Amino acid sequence: MITAQNLIKHFGTATAVNNISFEVKEGENLVLLGTSGCGKTTTLRMINRLIEPDSGTVFVNGTDIRTQQPEVLRRGIGYVLQNHGLFPHYTVAENIAIVPRLLKWADQDIRKRADELFQKLNLDASLAGQYPAALSGGQQQRVGLARSLMVNPPLLLMDEPFGALDNLTRISIRKEFRALDELVKKTIVMVTHDVQEAFEMGDRICLMDKGEIKQIGTPEELLFKPANDFVRGFFDEQRLQLELRSVLLKEVFPESDASSEVSVWDRMDALLHPENGNLPADDIRIGDLMRAFETYKRK
Ligand SMILES: Nc1ncnc2c1ncn2[C@@H]1O[C@H](COP(=O)(O)OP(=O)(O)OP(=O)(O)O)[C@@H](O)[C@H]1O
Ligand SMILES: [Mg+2]
């Protein structure tokens, strides 16, 4: 779906992106991960031509994007900006109608689609007439997403979509977004500097540093087969939690018929908090779990 080839971008004498290449398959969710200033936003914006690379190019569905009008290209690519990017002097309804109006949608169709997305994204209909400043951070984030989804583009670029939220809100919105049918089939490139978020949202993670890609692969590959010391070091602080989250119960207990898609982390959480009532009736104990996990890791 997306092929980026040898992208280079300088700003003055600084190198923001230094010769990177990657691919995103249809329906895949690729996360660009890295610390502030490593070139994530610059990379994302080269996909929809908000930034033109100094050299290299991007193909979307096999078409070199340099041969397309930027405006035409962008209509097929949803974009959720860092810090939501809503226009302050437009109401919520006006904000989300921008692209449909460019495409000359009828008013009633715009309203219908907006109503549908408001429902799916848990936004109260009364917010439509409000200005962005009157909304909470979480609501602004949802409106930003609604705006990017209005014309149902097959490709979505999201720049720190949960960046402005407190940690608890982040976790719950993330869960909601992951379950959203509108997002399931889309090809998504998402930027974050949050490691947990990258592991939760990404089919693959592209770890960047100083404008370069240090490794690109599944969360498990980055964790268990780091390509270099940078990658190994990057995850060290949260390593145990990430490992527990990314390994499934069925992987450490292959013979058991333990419910298959539960992670070791979730199972441990259920054991530690039986009051939440998620504890299955088998007799796996926490000690068994840790031992089996350690054995699994040694293999
Ligand atoms: N318009 C610009 N003019 C000059 N320098 C820029 C411009 N945009 C980005 N840069 C520089 O390029 C580098 C990469 O910036 P970029 O915005 O891509 O980083 P980022 O990974 O998105 O960071 P953050 O997590 O803070 O958003 C930074 O050093 C930044 O200062
Ligand atoms: Mg950025």
Side-chain angles (χ1 to χ4, degrees):
M1 180 111 191
I2 302 175
T3 307
Q5 287 180 347
N6 304 103
L7 294 174
I8 297 180
K9 181 68 189 177
H10 300 282
F11 292 107
T13 54
T15 307
V17 170
N18 190 9
N19 196 13
I20 66 169
S21 303
F22 58 88
E23 278 186 32
V24 191
K25 295 185 218 64
E26 190 170 341
E28 190 180 33
N29 196 346
L30 180 76
V31 172
L32 304 180
L33 173 67
T35 50
S36 186
C38 73
K40 305 180 295 295
T41 298
T42 307
T43 301
L44 199 69
R45 289 162 77 95
M46 286 193 281
I47 299 173
N48 63 3
R49 294 193 67 184
L50 283 169
I51 293 177
E52 300 287 358
D54 297 334
S55 64
T57 189
V58 176
F59 295 86
V60 174
N61 286 324
T63 305
D64 185 335
I65 61 172
R66 290 174 300 190
T67 65
Q68 276 186 304
Q69 290 282 347
E71 297 72 28
V72 176
L73 173 74
R74 273 174 226 147
R75 275 171 218 161
I77 304 179
Y79 182 39
V80 182
L81 284 89
Q82 194 161 7
N83 302 321
H84 72 72
L86 300 171
F87 293 111
H89 304 300
Y90 283 13
T91 64
V92 166
E94 288 163 350
N95 261 289
I96 65 179
I98 293 171
V99 176
R101 283 206 200 296
L102 281 173
L103 296 176
K104 310 229 179 322
W105 281 25
D107 284 348
Q108 67 201 45
D109 294 336
I110 296 179
R111 238 184 341 256
K112 202 165 145 226
R113 176 66 174 151
D115 286 348
E116 182 187 23
L117 284 172
F118 266 51
Q119 261 180 25
K120 287 186 178 176
L121 293 170
N122 285 320
L123 282 163
D124 197 282
S126 68
L127 295 176
Q130 304 276 351
Y131 289 91
L135 274 54
S136 73
Q139 288 169 331
Q140 290 169 345
Q141 217 74 68
R142 288 163 204 266
V143 173
L145 184 68
R147 180 172 68 174
S148 73
L149 292 173
M150 274 299 275
V151 303
N152 201 16
L155 176 56
L156 197 59
L157 309 179
M158 303 169 95
D159 197 347
E160 299 272 4
F162 315 109
L165 307 175
D166 62 88
N167 206 27
L168 278 181
T169 313
R170 255 174 116 101
I171 290 169
S172 71
I173 291 199
R174 227 147 63 191
K175 223 182 224 159
E176 240 179 77
F177 277 23
R178 266 194 333 215
L180 208 62
D181 63 343
E182 298 259 350
L183 294 182
V184 170
K185 286 159 288 171
K186 288 208 191 302
T187 307
I188 299 176
V189 183
M190 190 186 118
V191 164
T192 186
H193 62 266
D194 182 316
V195 171
Q196 297 290 346
E197 194 157 293
F199 272 70
E200 227 172 88
M201 308 289 287
D203 297 317
R204 285 189 305 144
I205 296 173
C206 173
L207 179 60
M208 297 179 65
D209 181 49
K210 301 195 184 84
E212 291 176 1
I213 294 176
K214 291 296 182 180
Q215 188 170 356
I216 181 162
T218 62
E220 291 73 23
E221 284 167 347
L222 270 69
L223 258 189
F224 295 110
K225 293 180 186 144
N228 47 57
D229 287 344
F230 179 86
V231 180
R232 198 171 295 116
F234 195 86
F235 299 113
D236 261 356
E237 214 170 291
Q238 307 182 54
R239 177 166 295 278
L240 181 61
Q241 189 187 15
L242 293 170
E243 288 179 352
L244 291 169
R245 277 183 192 275
S246 67
V247 176
L248 299 178
L249 201 60
K250 68 175 178 194
E251 296 178 274
V252 300
F253 289 121
E255 306 86 39
S256 91
D257 52 355
S259 62
S260 50
E261 298 316 315
V262 173
S263 68
V264 175
W265 174 273
D266 286 341
R267 188 44 179 283
M268 217 165 253
D269 194 54
L271 285 163
L272 293 171
H273 301 283
E275 69 276 13
N276 294 342
N278 301 325
L279 199 58
D282 58 40
D283 60 355
I284 299 175
R285 301 284 155 83
I286 215 148
D288 303 338
L289 203 51
M290 277 318 277
R291 264 191 302 281
F293 176 69
E294 288 303 329
T295 309
Y296 169 83
K297 271 199 344 186
R298 275 197 298 275
K299 275 195 288 194

